[in-house]
Amino acid sequence: SLRVRGLRKTFGDLVALDDVSLDVERGTTTVLLGPSGSGKSTLLRCLNLLEQPDAGTIDLGDGPIEVGGKLPARTVRAIRSRSTMVFQQFNLFPHLTALGNVTLAPMENRGLDRAAAEARGRELLGKVGLAEKSDAYPDRLSGGQQQRVAIARALAMDPDFLLFDEPTSALDPELAAEVVAVLADLASEHRTLVVVTHSLAFAQRVADRVVFLEDGKILQDGTPEEFFSSTDERLRRFREVIS
Ligand code: ATP
Ligand code: MG
């Protein structure tokens, strides 16, 4: 599991994360909701140290690691190697095929030989429904297909945690549905997912926990039932505006 304590991140005078503490249990799906600017992306990026927190600790099961301030490269690598981020814009390498995108990091960073990386890459592309597209370049794939390649690429690193920042918000509804189906499939296999989304339907259907952020603070952390039945005025307003 992942335990975050007292995470703080400022940009100049702006407090983007204010003393955020969060537990993510292994095998569960946590959905991060909240208004624009509430700190969802910043939180996700801090979990992966793509953003340097000002203060706080992250515990990946081996004891809390102080993540505030300048960190040794070794610490950054240790934390980063445990999770993989999937972005709103799929960020595929345009000069590599779907299979090439999925096999690059395992070969470069994990020392897999090409045959092993390709065998695993084909298996993962099959898993996201793209067995037929292994040799296609990104510009020949739909947005939903590109995002599924990005998910296969993330899975190829065998991360303990998969972090998704609005993985469907750049997609038309029917393409988004394909990606949601892949996420639901990963959730049902009890992978550990943290998903930022504006989709209440996704939260309702897939989340084990819903964490609601506002102004860099966690306003509510509980089951989807608790989120959807909360009578807190701010949550009610959010539910109305978004649906
Ligand atoms: P959205 O739903 O619009 O994606 P969000 O909840 O992901 O919003 P963040 O991107 O985490 O919000 O931003 C939180 C706050 O931090 C915002 O006020 C934002 O303007 C600010 N912020 C984020 N990144 C930076 C940065 N690199 N430099 C300065 N301010 C930033
Ligand atoms: Mg964001």
Side-chain angles (χ1 to χ4, degrees):
S1 61
L2 167 70
R3 293 188 200 293
V4 177
R5 292 292 174 269
L7 203 62
R8 182 177 172 81
K9 175 67 187 175
T10 56
F11 296 105
D13 289 340
L14 187 123
V15 183
L17 294 177
D18 186 1
D19 193 21
V20 166
S21 295
L22 178 72
D23 287 350
V24 175
E25 299 307 327
R26 193 173 282 277
T28 65
T29 295
T30 301
V31 166
L32 298 181
L33 296 174
S36 182
S38 57
K40 304 178 299 294
S41 295
T42 303
L43 174 54
L44 216 56
R45 294 168 64 80
C46 282
L47 294 181
N48 200 19
L49 299 182
L50 283 176
E51 204 76 73
Q52 166 77 70
D54 298 344
T57 62
I58 293 180
D59 185 347
L60 291 157
D62 315 312
I65 302 171
E66 200 65 57
V67 292
K70 196 89 193 85
L71 295 173
R74 166 172 47 82
T75 307
V76 174
R77 269 200 310 274
I79 290 184
R80 251 184 224 161
S81 66
R82 303 286 293 276
S83 63
T84 311
M85 185 96 119
V86 175
F87 300 92
Q88 179 177 355
Q89 296 300 339
F90 335 115
N91 298 336
L92 296 179
F93 299 110
H95 62 291
L96 294 177
T97 63
L99 187 62
N101 269 279
V102 175
T103 55
L104 182 68
M107 289 196 298
E108 286 199 342
N109 303 335
R110 308 188 84 210
L112 246 64
D113 65 39
R114 179 173 298 278
E118 289 190 347
R120 172 97 171 113
R122 288 184 196 282
E123 181 195 324
L124 290 170
L125 285 170
K127 184 177 173 52
V128 300
L130 293 175
E132 310 301 305
K133 299 288 186 185
S134 297
D135 299 325
Y137 285 87
D139 67 355
R140 294 301 163 88
L141 297 173
S142 73
Q145 291 170 338
Q146 289 183 55
Q147 187 61 303
R148 285 183 284 148
V149 173
I151 293 172
R153 179 174 64 176
L155 290 170
M157 292 304 281
D158 287 325
D160 291 339
F161 304 95
L162 285 153
L163 311 174
F164 294 89
D165 196 356
E166 302 199 36
T168 61
S169 60
L171 302 172
D172 292 338
E174 61 282 26
L175 300 184
E178 297 170 350
V179 172
V180 167
V182 169
L183 291 177
D185 189 39
L186 296 177
S188 71
E189 290 173 2
H190 296 292
R191 302 241 181 202
T192 311
L193 314 181
V194 182
V195 187
V196 171
T197 178
H198 286 283
S199 165
L200 293 186
F202 180 81
Q204 194 145 32
R205 209 175 111 210
V206 183
D208 297 297
R209 289 193 89 69
V210 173
V211 174
F212 183 85
L213 280 166
E214 192 177 78
D215 293 335
K217 294 191 196 60
I218 293 183
L219 217 69
Q220 170 149 331
D221 178 353
T223 63
E225 294 71 32
E226 285 166 337
F227 173 78
F228 285 103
S229 65
S230 171
T231 53
D232 183 294
E233 195 48 47
R234 287 164 296 187
L235 267 62
R236 279 176 45 180
R237 209 176 324 119
F238 180 80
R239 291 196 308 256
E240 271 164 29
V241 168
I242 218 100
S243 55

